[in-house]
Structures are given as C-alpha cells and as structure tokens.
C-alpha cells in the first residue's frame, strides 16, 4: 500500500473513532432516562451497525479494504483522544441542545394547559 493511502487510512480511522464516540454520547444522553431498556438497546445497536457500515464504506473507498493493525489501533486512539481532550466540550454542547429541546417542549405544553 502506498504511503499516502496509509496516511489516509490512519487519519480516517482516528477521526472515525472520535466521530463514533461523539454520536454514541449524543444517543446515550438522549435515551438515558427512557424507561424501555430494550428500545435503548435497539437504538444503540442500529447506530453501531450503521456506523460500522459507514466505516466499511470509507475503508472500501480509500484502500479497497486491506486490513492491517492500524485500523483498530487508531480507532481506539481516536476514542482515547476524545475522552481526554474533547469529552467535556461535547457533553456541554449536548446539555445545551437538550435544555433547548426541554424548554421548547415545556413552553408548548404550557400553551395547552387549562
């Protein structure tokens, strides 16, 4: 494999690891207080499968799916980089988003109160 393709694979795997955890944190925050654990599991499973398929398509486009040790290693390094560097920022963004949704829902509910 050429050096430029190897760099693209490494960078794509690293960024995909970060993207995967960002999406997982958002879905985990959205479904955290839901009562149905089975529904939460199904949503997480569908998300994981769709992200895995997206990763497969990206690797198919870049390197014709030649597997090497760098793929899972840099996904894990992307996850670790997210946890150490970006997690607090994205959790704060998620809280802002869900507070705005909650305020809109409460104002809509108050509009129809008797």
């Amino acid at each position: 494999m050429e050096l430029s393709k190897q760099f693209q694979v490494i960078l794509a795997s690293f960024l995909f690891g970060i993207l995967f955890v960002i999406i997982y944190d958002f879905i985990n925050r959205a479904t955290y207080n839901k009562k149905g654990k089975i529904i939460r599991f199904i949503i997480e499973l569908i998300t994981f499968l769709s992200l895995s398929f997206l990763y497969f398509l990206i690797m198919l486009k870049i390197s014709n799916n030649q597997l090497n040790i760098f793929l899972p290693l840099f996904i894990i390094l992307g996850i670790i980089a997210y946890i150490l560097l970006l997690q607090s920022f994205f959790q704060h963004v998620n809280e802002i988003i869900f507070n705005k949704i909650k305020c809109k829902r409460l104002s809509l509910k108050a509009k129809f109160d008797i």
Side-chain angles (χ1 to χ4, degrees):
M1 189 183 318
E2 298 174 11
L3 187 60
S4 64
K5 288 196 185 253
Q6 287 179 359
F7 181 71
Q8 289 175 358
V9 167
I10 288 171
L11 186 63
S13 295
F14 183 77
L15 293 176
F16 185 79
I18 292 173
L19 178 72
F20 178 76
V21 180
I22 289 170
I23 293 172
Y24 179 76
D25 270 353
F26 183 77
I27 289 175
N28 188 30
R29 173 64 177 95
T31 60
Y32 185 72
N33 291 330
K34 302 296 180 200
K35 298 210 186 256
K37 300 295 182 188
I38 295 174
I39 294 172
R40 181 178 176 187
F41 173 73
I42 291 171
I43 291 171
E44 288 178 356
L45 182 66
I46 290 171
T47 304
F48 177 74
L49 291 176
S50 61
L51 287 174
S52 298
F53 182 68
L54 176 68
Y55 182 71
F56 173 76
L57 289 178
I58 291 170
M59 289 300 116
L60 184 66
K61 180 75 174 166
I62 293 175
S63 67
N64 294 330
N65 264 353
Q66 292 178 351
L67 297 176
N68 55 23
I69 190 65
F70 297 118
L71 298 178
L73 178 68
F74 275 91
I75 289 175
I76 292 170
L77 286 176
I79 292 170
I80 292 171
Y82 169 80
I83 290 170
L84 294 177
L85 301 173
L86 302 170
Q87 186 175 19
S88 62
F89 172 73
F90 280 104
Q91 285 181 346
H92 180 69
V93 170
N94 285 343
E95 285 299 319
I96 291 171
I97 291 170
F98 285 106
N99 284 338
K100 286 185 179 184
I101 291 172
K102 190 176 188 180
C103 288
K104 286 183 181 181
R105 190 174 0 149
L106 288 176
S107 66
L108 184 64
K109 187 177 180 183
K111 186 185 262 187
F112 294 108
D113 282 346
I114 296 176

